[in-house]
Amino acid sequence: MKKRHLAMLLSKLRGFENPKPYLEQYRTPGDVASSLLWLAYTSGDIEGKVVADFGAGTGVLSIGAKLLGARKVYAVEIDPEALSVARENAEAVGVDVEFVLADVSDFGEKVDTVIMNPPFGSQRRHADRPFLLKAFEVGDVVYSIHLSKPEVRKFIQSFVTEHGFTITNRLTVSFEIPMQFHFHRKALERIPVDIYRFEKSLANSTER
Ligand code: SAH
């Protein structure tokens, strides 16, 4: 599978039926999802690995990870409606994903890699914190997407370091958000986002 092919396939999946603004339900665009997944795949963090997708929504990242050879993928999502779309998407593609209907904070499995497109915190401030906290608790390598703004970058840098992780990669891409909520003014908005790879710092990993 090529990166471009993956992007195309993922962009054809079903989106949110009834997107909920307070949960910041924006589906990850195919090209953004495939950029994150490709970075993870080429870094050796997907093939044969146990992966968790936090705030899996419509399942875009989970399905992509499975297509790239993940051994097992947990799709963790709090909204049953979204999870049923993800289930249909996985079935349509013919991949086997482990769906977990739960708040990310309650997820208890250890995994090799966490992938996620968490709420950006534009509706509820710091909505991405529980996602990062849990990811640092259960994974050694974490991929995440955040707004590409100076204040967000500053927060990410210090939060990640405080929790014993290091930023190894940062990739800035354009994220297309279609008009779907009442507070949106444009038919299509493009916002710059950063795709990160975080890795547990060496000093910490010796504890395990
Ligand atoms: N990656 C997904 C969705 C990203 S939007 C996709 O591409 O479709 C963020 C997702 O996080 C939403 O589906 C939202 O319902 C979910 N979410 C928000 N808070 C959550 C929480 N505390 N626990 C689990 N999922 C949550």
Side-chain angles (χ1 to χ4, degrees):
M1 166 120 18
K2 296 222 171 72
K3 184 179 170 192
R4 199 164 34 91
H5 181 194
L6 181 67
M8 210 150 49
L9 195 151
L10 295 179
S11 65
K12 285 190 186 133
L13 297 176
R14 269 186 61 199
F16 289 101
E17 204 109 285
N18 169 30
K20 303 178 178 71
Y22 62 96
L23 289 174
E24 293 194 40
Q25 291 184 331
Y26 300 108
R27 84 180 275 176
T28 316
D31 58 337
V32 175
S34 98
S35 292
L36 183 152
L37 289 163
W38 211 256
L39 176 63
Y41 176 68
T42 52
S43 306
D45 297 323
I46 298 288
E47 209 170 0
K49 303 287 181 181
V50 178
V51 176
D53 174 10
F54 287 170
T58 59
V60 175
L61 292 174
S62 295
I63 292 166
K66 200 67 210 189
L67 285 171
L68 292 175
R71 180 149 58 90
K72 181 173 191 155
V73 179
Y74 294 101
V76 186
E77 169 59 51
I78 201 168
D79 176 24
E81 263 187 88
L83 213 54
S84 76
V85 174
R87 244 193 209 104
E88 274 182 37
N89 279 334
E91 213 163 282
V93 175
V95 294
D96 188 21
V97 171
E98 180 97 10
F99 295 98
V100 183
L101 178 62
D103 189 312
V104 284
S105 303
D106 297 329
F107 181 73
E109 306 287 335
K110 282 272 175 212
V111 299
D112 297 307
T113 308
V114 176
I115 53 178
M116 60 186 183
N117 173 21
F120 292 151
S122 39
Q123 292 309 302
R124 278 184 307 142
R125 261 192 104 203
H126 304 313
D128 51 355
R129 273 184 203 198
F131 282 71
L132 288 166
L133 276 179
K134 180 53 80 171
F136 295 153
E137 184 189 319
V138 303
D140 293 333
V141 179
V142 177
Y143 290 83
S144 189
I145 307 177
H146 300 273
L147 292 176
S148 184
K149 284 186 183 172
E151 65 271 27
V152 176
R153 283 187 174 181
K154 225 171 117 197
F155 161 70
I156 294 291
Q157 175 72 60
S158 61
F159 197 80
V160 164
T161 314
E162 265 169 42
H163 291 87
F165 275 70
T166 312
I167 299 172
T168 61
N169 301 69
R170 192 183 70 202
L171 196 72
T172 305
V173 299
S174 170
F175 190 113
E176 283 190 3
I177 299 185
M179 182 158 68
Q180 61 177 21
F181 298 137
H182 64 91
F183 49 83
H184 288 160
R185 296 277 170 263
K186 291 192 210 148
L188 190 75
E189 188 127 33
R190 279 191 188 84
I191 52 170
V193 297
D194 293 329
I195 298 174
Y196 288 94
R197 180 180 186 274
F198 308 130
E199 190 179 86
K200 192 172 270 254
S201 308
L202 271 178
N204 287 31
S205 57
T206 51
E207 290 167 19
R208 300 184 142 203

